[in-house]
Amino acid sequence: MRILISTWSLQVGGGEVLAMNLAAELQRRGHEVYVFNQRAELIDHDLVARLLPPQVKVLSMADNPKSTFWAYKINALQGLLGRPATFYNQRQQAYLVECLLRYKIDVVSSHATVSDDICAPVVERLGLPLVITEHGEYTKFLQEGRRDFLPVLQVAKRILAVSDYCRHKLERAFPSLPPVQTVYNGVITEAHAAETTRRALAIPAEAFVFGMVARGIEDKGWRYAVQAFQQVKAALPARALRLVLVGGSPYLKTLADEYATDPDIIFTGQVPNPDFYVAGFDVGLLPTYFRAEALPLAIIEYMVSGKPSIATRVGGIPELLEPSAGHTGQLVDIEAETYTPKLRMLTEAMVRYCTEPVLYAAHAAHCRQASQEFSMAACAEHYEQAFSAALHSTVNSAT
């Protein structure tokens, strides 16, 4: 198949990383794959070089810099005149049409709501099948009381939700949607020795290490991880403890400056290889209260490395931490009034792993077993089946 994968950006983020990993795996499986970046200026070139093989061509408005320049200028002028600033999107859709025709694309796989908005009218006009992946944004819209996106979803031939949580939310809100199925995200990680990671970070071998990998936004719960860690240190003064925070952003830089006096907290900044740091963890943290949380890749990466997680009971996280084969971590409840993590519960869960080795060992053992469901190969196989079904549906509806 000739597949175009459309994304909002090519930066760190669950949907973006999944889209790039999926493109690489589909190319490896013999498909001709293109990636269309809707926001050409939002690209992490080091990340793209690491995740995408050179055979996967990246397309964006950056391919036409002069056209892009004037499109932005006219967009700004429309805004100044009090008119809808639509010209850039119109030019982008025109370029998307050009790409779809030039590369004879068979199916479009879209991975962000903004991307869906741009792709839907184009593929509908060209008669191409669209497969939309719900990474949690539509679920967040539903929480906000929005229903205006239904026409976009109805253009799709298939909708793939990254968790049962998201699938159920969509199906309950809109009983007449195209077929919706759950396809869990897959991850690609490299194996690293914990000793190598700890040596690089000057962490003693006997230390119990908590770690966190996420986008550098406040709602991922970074401050709660820091506060709980400091409470754990106070509760276990004789224990060597470390907290490693992997991510980069202005928010994390501010947080790092605030806690610069605590030598046991390590801020790595933005890194191209988070799996190297996860190897040095004992426990992965994600006290997120991000309202669009669906199925965090970070927790899957913890699982693949055999690290139990402590994370909040939001989105599809319970599906990861409490699978039928056995718990891979501990869940922390959200405060109903503030929609923030229960700090005391988070702290107690961290203390429990430090002081209950039998519990820790059981959860760590479950991680390896459960993570097999989240391989990139398994994920890509489900996408292939969905693409084939979408193509078949399009051919049948045209005859």
Side-chain angles (χ1 to χ4, degrees):
M1 281 183 280
R2 291 181 292 273
I3 304 163
L4 185 137
I5 293 178
S6 179
T7 69
W8 156 246
S9 73
L10 292 177
Q11 297 177 311
V12 172
E16 292 86 345
V17 170
L18 183 280
M20 286 187 274
N21 281 338
L22 176 63
E25 178 65 18
L26 289 170
Q27 188 277 327
R28 190 189 68 79
R29 297 165 78 93
H31 301 284
E32 190 175 323
V33 186
Y34 302 84
V35 172
F36 196 97
N37 183 16
Q38 300 288 351
R39 288 290 299 273
E41 71 278 12
L42 299 181
I43 181 169
D44 182 333
H45 292 284
D46 290 338
L47 183 68
V48 171
R50 185 168 69 90
L51 297 185
L52 287 180
Q55 297 92 333
V56 175
K57 186 174 179 61
V58 175
L59 308 167
S60 74
M61 288 286 281
D63 300 335
N64 302 297
K66 288 184 179 179
S67 175
T68 300
F69 174 81
W70 288 111
Y72 273 127
K73 288 291 186 183
I74 295 173
N75 235 44
L77 180 61
Q78 287 177 318
L80 288 174
L81 295 175
R83 298 175 181 172
T86 59
F87 189 76
Y88 180 83
N89 277 356
Q90 290 169 359
R91 294 310 307 154
Q92 184 160 237
Q93 286 178 319
Y95 184 56
L96 178 60
V97 168
E98 182 183 331
C99 292
L100 293 172
L101 296 175
R102 181 193 308 165
Y103 298 111
K104 298 180 174 60
I105 299 300
D106 296 313
V107 62
V108 175
S109 172
S110 183
H111 290 263
T113 57
V114 174
S115 169
D116 302 342
D117 287 341
I118 291 171
C119 291
V122 170
V123 299
E124 192 171 32
R125 186 163 72 248
L126 296 179
L128 289 173
L130 173 65
V131 176
I132 286 176
T133 299
E134 154 61 336
H135 288 278
E137 292 177 288
Y138 289 118
T139 302
K140 180 174 179 287
F141 292 165
L142 290 172
Q143 292 171 349
E144 296 167 349
R146 285 185 53 184
R147 299 291 190 276
D148 58 319
F149 52 86
L150 176 59
V152 172
L153 293 180
Q154 289 176 324
V155 173
K157 294 297 183 182
R158 288 288 187 280
I159 300 171
L160 307 182
V162 299
S163 65
D164 286 336
Y165 169 81
C166 292
R167 177 171 62 84
H168 293 154
K169 290 288 186 182
L170 282 181
E171 289 178 331
R172 288 167 187 159
F174 306 116
S176 59
L177 283 175
V180 185
Q181 68 184 91
T182 300
V183 176
Y184 287 131
N185 288 337
V187 298
I188 298 174
T189 61
E190 293 183 28
H192 298 278
E195 297 79 7
T196 305
T197 302
R198 293 188 176 208
R199 194 161 47 244
L201 297 175
I203 296 175
E206 71 276 11
F208 195 91
V209 180
F210 296 97
M212 178 170 167
V213 178
R215 273 191 293 162
I217 59 175
E218 184 176 359
D219 292 0
K220 288 292 184 175
W222 299 94
R223 182 177 296 277
Y224 286 89
V226 171
Q227 291 175 344
F229 175 73
Q230 292 191 320
Q231 291 185 13
V232 173
K233 284 207 304 178
L236 303 172
R239 191 74 183 267
L241 300 168
R242 295 293 186 276
L243 175 64
V244 179
L245 301 174
V246 183
S249 70
Y251 168 75
L252 284 176
K253 177 63 169 64
T254 300
L255 200 65
D257 291 342
E258 185 177 342
Y259 290 97
T261 58
D262 191 331
D264 298 327
I265 302 177
I266 300 168
F267 289 83
T268 70
Q270 189 69 45
V271 299
N273 55 341
D275 44 6
F276 172 79
Y277 297 89
V278 172
F281 298 176
D282 288 299
V283 172
L285 303 177
L286 194 66
T288 175
Y289 50 105
F290 181 52
R291 290 187 180 271
E293 206 68 78
L295 199 83
L297 290 181
I299 293 181
I300 301 175
E301 290 170 354
Y302 301 158
M303 291 167 59
V304 170
S305 295
K307 318 296 182 181
S309 301
I310 302 173
T312 35
R313 192 185 296 275
V314 298
I317 290 177
E319 298 170 44
L320 295 174
L321 268 60
E322 294 185 345
S324 58
H327 289 195
T328 63
Q330 300 179 72
L331 288 169
V332 174
D333 292 336
I334 289 285
E335 297 282 2
E337 294 181 359
T338 60
Y339 200 78
T340 54
K342 290 189 174 182
L343 182 59
R344 180 177 176 180
M345 195 172 180
L346 173 60
T347 303
E348 290 173 348
M350 293 168 70
V351 169
R352 198 171 296 124
Y353 274 146
C354 290
T355 58
E356 299 183 25
V358 174
L359 176 72
Y360 175 85
H363 288 187
H366 293 154
C367 283
R368 293 282 189 188
Q369 179 182 356
S371 68
Q372 295 175 10
E373 189 174 356
F374 304 98
S375 71
M376 200 63 237
C379 178
E381 184 174 345
H382 287 302
Y383 270 86
E384 284 178 320
Q385 292 168 359
F387 294 159
S388 295
L391 275 167
H392 182 72
S393 175
T394 301
V395 170
N396 282 351
S397 62
T399 55

